[in-house]
Amino acid sequence: MFEVLVFVYENYWRGDACPEPHALERKLSAHGFEPDEIHEALVWLDGLNVAAQNVCMPAQSQLDWSPEPSAGSMRVFSVAEQDKLGADCLGFITFLESSGVLPAALREIVVDRAMAAPGDEVCLDALKIIVLMVYWRFGHEPDALILDELCDDAEDRIAH
């Protein structure tokens, strides 16, 4: 499924530029993706659209990406979320949020879509794709440093 999502991200500039599900299904099939992968991705994208409709976000030019939730608030992850996401993914979500690039409303969509991903666990690379897809759906392009963090393979990095 994640290969299909990457293809969609790379080929459609914004979520609103993506064709309707039936047309997208034909295009994905023409590019050689397996029917079950296409179906999983389309169901996942439909869930992303539903989640996005329930979030009231300001216009792109007015987005406040500050890390300041309401005073004294704290997000506690359920046991199911902890099991599915693991320490690496939860740490990455916290990093993005504390860096001011993932507002609480988008964090909740990221967690929701990660929980909807197939399999028992979500690896960090899959979570990064999910974050990119959430940004994509809202038409937000992360700045270059965050985009590098989302697209870079950390295993190839050399510690100094």
Side-chain angles (χ1 to χ4, degrees):
M1 176 189 83
F2 289 105
E3 292 84 13
V4 175
L5 294 178
V6 168
F7 177 87
V8 170
Y9 179 84
E10 290 176 344
N11 287 279
Y12 301 101
W13 184 69
R14 294 170 51 118
D16 57 6
C18 191
E20 293 298 317
H22 186 67
L24 180 59
E25 181 178 12
R26 284 194 319 264
K27 289 182 184 221
L28 293 169
S29 182
H31 277 82
F33 291 105
E34 296 294 323
D36 59 332
E37 287 181 312
I38 295 170
H39 177 72
E40 281 184 347
L42 291 177
V43 168
W44 191 92
L45 285 169
D46 184 55
L48 176 59
N49 287 331
V50 169
Q53 290 172 355
N54 295 327
V55 173
C56 186
M57 294 292 286
Q60 175 65 29
S61 60
Q62 300 170 344
L63 280 177
D64 177 17
W65 296 90
S66 66
E68 302 172 22
S70 56
S73 68
M74 178 176 64
R75 172 61 156 93
V76 177
F77 293 94
S78 71
V79 173
E81 291 169 339
Q82 291 175 37
D83 289 344
K84 178 112 181 184
L85 297 173
D88 288 343
C89 290
L90 292 174
F92 190 71
I93 290 170
T94 303
F95 160 72
L96 292 175
E97 192 174 12
S98 66
S99 297
V101 298
L102 189 66
L106 294 188
R107 177 201 62 220
E108 291 307 309
I109 294 175
V110 167
V111 172
D112 173 71
R113 295 292 76 213
M115 295 301 290
D120 293 335
E121 294 180 12
V122 174
C123 68
L124 185 56
D125 289 337
L127 180 73
K128 289 178 179 184
I129 293 169
I130 292 169
V131 171
L132 281 172
M133 293 305 294
V134 170
Y135 284 153
W136 171 83
R137 172 56 181 83
F138 283 95
H140 175 72
E141 186 173 332
D143 67 33
L145 292 175
I146 295 301
L147 195 57
D148 186 52
E149 188 68 36
L150 290 169
C151 296
D152 188 35
D153 186 6
E155 291 181 11
D156 293 338
R157 292 183 186 168
I158 299 174
H160 296 290

